[in-house]
Amino acid sequence: MKPTKTIILFLFFTLLGCTKDRYSIHYQSVDSKDIKIYPEVISEIPDIPSPALNDSGREVVLAKLQDSLYTWFDATVENGDTFDYKLGLLGKGNQLLADETDFPAFARRGIHSDWELANTKTITGRSVSLITVDGRPGRSSGAGFMAADETILSVIAQDNHTVKNLGLTHPDLARPLFHLWNSARINGSENESIPADERMNISALVYNGHEVAVHITGSRGWQESIFSDEILGTGHIEIRREPDNEEMEFLKQQYEQLTPEQFEGMKEKLTHLHTGEMVLFYINRYGFYEGHTDFRADPVTIAFIFGLRSVKELHEAANGNFYQYFTSHFTFNPE
Amino acid sequence: MKHCLTLLLILSLTCSSTDGSAQTQQQEIDSLIVLFKGAHREWNEYARKFILIGEPAVPALVALLEDKSLNQWTRRIAAMTLNDIHSPSYIKTALKVLMDRSEDPTLRNQVTNGLKGHDLSYASEELWTVYNESSEEWFRSNIAHILVTSDTALAYRAYREIYQANDGYLKQQSLLKMVQLRPGESTTWYLKGLQTGDWMTANLAMDSLIATHHIIPEKLVALYNHSETPEEVRWRIVFIMGNRELPESLPLLVNALRDPSWLTYNEAVVGLSRMPADQVLPTMKELLNDSNPLVVKNARWVIKNMKKID
């Protein structure tokens, strides 16, 4: 084979690989016969991995219902019907859409290129300055989308660095949150026809061998996006996973110098997440987890809670210092 | 004779049918009033029917509002429905409630919506007194709104006070009203709005300065160059100038490339890339030899993105 042909073929397959898969994590396939899809329930945790792919390639996750029964949801992350609170349309929305216009490399690989971020001046046609000003606390949102000393690019760049260090992609981190959101959607729509006292709400997801406690609530009105896109938010998503003994031992060893209050504060940041549904779309579309606000979905926290990486790997990705990692704002702009 | 008889017959039939339809409507109003008196959360359903009926429903609703023996809730929903019908025949009662200091403050505030847009110049002094008596800013703002069509000088004075005393929606709305009342002062007010710490007001001022014909660019340039102008105000000025094709835009935006603020120089870069290439390119090419590497990088970005537009 001539060298030119080889190069062309190499480039073709590289490009094909890049465009086809933005995930670095792949799930095990399971036999669909073993999966009891909601509203069917089972009384014990089955010996089947969750999340997993069923025979049709659909993403299924095991959920715990409030009365200690378990069920599987088809929580596949995909583009679905319109999701627009203003129009009362509650479809899945564009869960796989990535901002290809502003971040072509990110759209292909699921992770930003440093060069691309350093040369970004607009996102969705809005200047990065305008997005930053609108996203500060007390502006388009009371809580803000980033802290007053952060910018849209300082936040995206720092989180991108962390995710890269973890060997993950942004869609890898959006996916467990979408799994939760999609399961809750199905659960919620089924529940509409059931009297309130007979409803079985999701209390936890079983994810990578961990039980992740979840609580989703709505609110009045909606929050507009800081980007020029269709994303809106109204819900509160609370997720928590307690560290197991081994993880706790590791944390105690590594952070014995912290005061009890500092240790508890750090542990809370690592094990608990409060965010809204906008962030799920933001992560997948822009690699944006929000800055240091009450709604930040820290990638390290997501990876810990859903068991995407071990506590040791996360500790290393956070430069060996969770405490500093969780308390420092991202003020360095990529130039 | 025959023709006269036919005409009489038609007339009498028409009258009786009008009477009949008026009677039916009155019956509908009466039954709605009964429902309204006992209404809770479903009151809106009845209110919509009253609004569809319109003017003929006003006397019955006014009677409800005037009846102090009824509970406040019933009187409030009557006022809200009358506000939506917005009939001139409601003015007298609405004014009476507004001027009556012994009335429930919520009800007094509610009737203001029914008075907005009407010429109440004969009552402007009384309205001004009511405005001054109150310390509740939303109520004061509603009175100021009534004054817009009753006494523009008093309305302007009221909005000026509200603008200074508040932040957020009330400040923003006061700015909007003041420039509507005195368009000649709009640039001055928008420049003030630009410098306020209130995001809603500053955004309104910024968007208005992009759209207005009354812009005085020298004032914006002077404000940008003032040593004490804060970062966000400088950013807003660059945003405005980058969205308007003014002779002052290019020099200001080029100058802003050296601004120490990340917000400001990035906005200048975006603004420059939107401007006509023949005006911007020569300067950008010169800047490629600048001693500041960030200026060089940003000039390169402008050149590259202009070429995309071309």
Side-chain angles (χ1 to χ4, degrees):
Chain A
M1 197 181 281
K2 281 182 181 174
T4 346
K5 261 190 178 174
T6 320
I7 292 166
I8 290 169
L9 275 174
F10 173 76
L11 283 173
F12 173 77
F13 284 112
T14 310
L15 199 65
L16 197 71
C18 288
T19 50
K20 274 212 156 175
D21 201 352
R22 298 176 76 222
Y23 295 119
S24 73
I25 295 174
H26 299 279
Y27 302 142
Q28 278 188 51
S29 292
V30 293
D31 193 336
S32 292
K33 287 200 300 290
D34 301 329
I35 304 296
K36 304 287 178 202
I37 290 284
Y38 183 79
E40 277 192 79
V41 290
I42 43 179
S43 53
E44 277 179 11
I45 298 182
D47 188 20
I48 300 171
S50 167
L53 294 178
N54 72 7
D55 294 342
S56 322
R58 306 288 295 170
E59 295 158 18
V60 289
V61 286
L62 184 66
K64 184 182 181 183
L65 301 174
Q66 268 172 348
D67 34 9
S68 296
L69 292 172
Y70 295 86
T71 189
W72 290 88
F73 284 97
D74 175 346
T76 309
V77 181
E78 60 192 340
N79 292 334
D81 290 339
T82 309
F83 179 40
D84 187 337
Y85 291 117
K86 288 184 194 173
L87 301 173
L89 300 172
L90 303 178
K92 274 188 161 178
N94 293 314
Q95 301 187 345
L96 293 174
L97 189 69
D99 181 1
E100 197 175 2
T101 310
D102 299 305
F103 305 119
F106 165 77
R108 279 197 310 274
R109 295 159 36 204
I111 197 89
H112 284 290
S113 96
D114 293 341
W115 185 89
E116 220 164 71
L117 283 179
N119 284 282
T120 297
K121 302 288 180 193
T122 60
I123 303 172
T124 63
R126 307 187 90 209
S127 73
V128 287
S129 308
L130 179 59
I131 293 168
T132 298
V133 172
D134 278 358
R136 285 179 170 170
R139 310 298 173 94
S140 67
S141 139
F145 288 84
M146 63 204 78
D149 55 353
E150 296 178 327
T151 74
I152 184 66
L153 288 180
S154 70
V155 173
I156 290 180
Q158 185 56 53
D159 281 331
N160 193 60
H161 178 72
T162 304
V163 174
K164 211 188 268 184
N165 278 352
L166 286 169
L168 293 169
T169 66
H170 297 289
D172 284 335
L173 288 149
R175 190 155 54 166
L177 297 172
F178 271 127
H179 281 162
L180 166 61
W181 183 247
N182 290 342
S183 303
R185 275 184 73 252
I186 298 167
N187 185 230
S189 62
E190 289 277 339
N191 267 345
E192 271 174 16
S193 55
I194 302 170
D197 55 346
E198 290 172 28
R199 287 177 188 171
M200 293 190 294
N201 292 318
I202 297 171
S203 62
L205 283 192
V206 179
Y207 216 95
N208 289 329
H210 301 289
E211 195 165 298
V212 177
V214 299
H215 186 57
I216 298 179
T217 50
S219 65
R220 284 184 173 191
W222 56 77
Q223 172 65 51
E224 298 273 356
S225 176
I226 47 169
F227 303 102
S228 182
D229 57 28
E230 84 292 359
I231 299 168
L232 297 167
T234 191
H236 294 268
I237 303 172
E238 298 248 14
I239 311 168
R240 184 182 292 280
R241 176 171 83 75
E242 287 306 318
D244 60 28
N245 291 341
E246 203 180 314
E247 289 168 335
M248 198 61 192
E249 200 51 45
F250 176 83
L251 291 174
K252 279 182 179 166
Q253 266 178 18
Q254 293 293 327
Y255 295 97
E256 60 185 357
Q257 77 283 7
L258 296 182
T259 65
E261 290 78 23
Q262 286 173 327
F263 184 85
E264 275 310 307
M266 179 199 74
K267 189 180 136 225
E268 180 70 5
K269 291 277 184 193
L270 180 66
T271 59
H272 170 251
L273 201 82
H274 166 253
T275 189
E277 68 276 44
M278 298 178 93
V279 177
L280 284 54
F281 293 90
Y282 279 172
I283 296 170
N284 191 73
R285 201 173 297 186
Y286 311 109
F288 181 50
Y289 298 75
E290 294 211 4
H292 288 82
T293 70
D294 287 347
F295 285 82
R296 174 168 168 76
D298 196 291
V300 167
T301 309
I302 300 173
F304 174 80
I305 289 178
F306 290 98
L308 307 184
R309 288 290 181 264
S310 72
V311 70
K312 192 166 176 259
E313 288 167 324
L314 293 167
H315 168 80
E316 280 160 14
N319 300 321
N321 192 336
F322 277 141
Y323 182 76
Q324 199 180 1
Y325 172 80
F326 283 122
T327 52
S328 306
H329 288 191
F330 301 150
T331 53
F332 181 76
N333 286 302
E335 298 280 15
Chain B
M1 188 62 186
K2 239 186 184 177
H3 287 301
C4 281
L5 274 174
T6 318
L7 195 64
L8 271 172
L9 189 66
I10 291 170
L11 273 172
S12 95
L13 280 172
T14 313
C15 284
S16 68
S17 110
T18 316
D19 283 352
S21 120
Q23 239 175 12
T24 317
Q25 192 176 61
Q26 193 53 51
Q27 279 169 356
E28 190 189 357
I29 293 168
D30 292 343
S31 54
L32 279 172
I33 289 287
V34 174
L35 290 169
F36 223 41
K37 282 182 178 172
H40 296 285
R41 291 171 80 175
E42 79 286 7
W43 73 274
N44 235 326
E45 194 186 313
Y46 311 133
R48 270 197 291 273
K49 290 180 181 167
F50 276 128
I51 293 160
L52 275 177
I53 295 168
E55 190 65 38
V58 172
L61 286 165
V62 162
L64 273 193
L65 176 60
E66 285 177 337
D67 188 349
K68 287 191 177 183
S69 69
L70 292 173
N71 64 49
Q72 288 303 325
W73 167 247
T74 308
R75 296 182 72 208
R76 276 182 211 166
I77 59 176
M80 285 190 271
T81 312
L82 283 162
N83 290 344
D84 281 346
I85 298 173
H86 216 75
S87 160
S89 50
Y90 165 49
I91 294 173
K92 197 178 155 195
T93 306
L95 261 180
K96 196 176 152 199
V97 171
L98 178 63
M99 299 304 171
D100 185 349
R101 275 68 168 175
S102 68
E103 283 283 13
D104 168 35
T106 310
L107 187 67
R108 288 180 74 203
N109 192 27
Q110 234 140 29
V111 296
T112 57
N113 271 334
L115 294 169
K116 288 172 187 172
H118 291 296
D119 176 7
L120 303 179
S121 44
Y122 57 89
S124 58
E125 274 185 36
E126 277 178 283
L127 287 166
W128 184 243
T129 308
V130 170
Y131 166 84
N132 279 307
E133 279 170 7
S134 177
S135 57
E136 212 289 296
E137 294 292 344
W138 288 89
F139 181 63
R140 281 157 66 85
S141 170
N142 284 332
I143 303 290
H145 197 147
I146 301 170
L147 284 166
V148 169
T149 45
S150 307
D151 187 322
T152 51
L154 288 178
Y156 180 81
R157 212 171 134 187
Y159 277 122
R160 205 181 160 134
E161 286 179 6
I162 296 165
Y163 177 86
Q164 274 152 4
N166 292 279
D167 268 336
Y169 180 77
L170 284 180
K171 193 179 198 78
Q172 185 213 40
Q173 288 304 301
S174 303
L175 176 64
L176 201 60
K177 292 288 180 195
M178 281 190 292
V179 299
Q180 276 170 5
L181 288 162
R182 300 209 179 155
E185 292 179 13
S186 61
T187 306
T188 311
W189 277 113
Y190 288 144
L191 277 171
K192 280 185 187 174
L194 214 56
Q195 296 172 75
T196 169
D198 179 62
W199 176 76
M200 283 176 101
T201 309
N203 266 11
L204 171 71
M206 189 170 85
D207 292 341
S208 304
L209 282 166
I210 291 169
T212 185
H213 297 297
H214 298 288
I215 193 165
I216 307 169
E218 310 87 76
K219 286 194 176 181
L220 281 171
V221 174
L223 182 58
Y224 176 83
N225 288 326
H226 195 282
S227 59
E228 283 174 25
T229 301
E231 176 196 28
E232 197 170 311
V233 179
R234 297 202 307 278
W235 165 72
R236 288 186 186 282
I237 293 168
V238 169
F239 187 91
I240 295 162
M241 298 300 261
N243 279 282
R244 297 200 64 141
E245 280 190 29
L246 296 166
E248 292 82 357
S249 294
L250 180 61
L252 186 131
L253 265 57
V254 170
N255 190 14
L257 288 179
R258 298 179 196 286
D259 196 294
S261 153
W262 180 92
L263 286 180
T264 312
Y265 66 72
N266 273 306
E267 196 62 59
V269 171
V270 175
L272 285 164
S273 72
R274 287 200 206 104
M275 293 177 72
D278 57 333
Q279 287 175 31
V280 178
L281 276 177
T283 319
M284 290 303 109
K285 282 178 182 166
E286 271 177 42
L287 288 177
L288 293 178
N289 299 316
D290 199 274
S291 58
N292 182 339
L294 193 57
V295 171
V296 174
K297 184 180 175 242
N298 284 330
R300 199 174 289 136
W301 192 94
V302 174
I303 292 166
K304 191 178 169 214
N305 284 275
M306 287 203 128
K307 280 180 182 163
K308 259 188 202 170
I309 295 163
D310 286 343

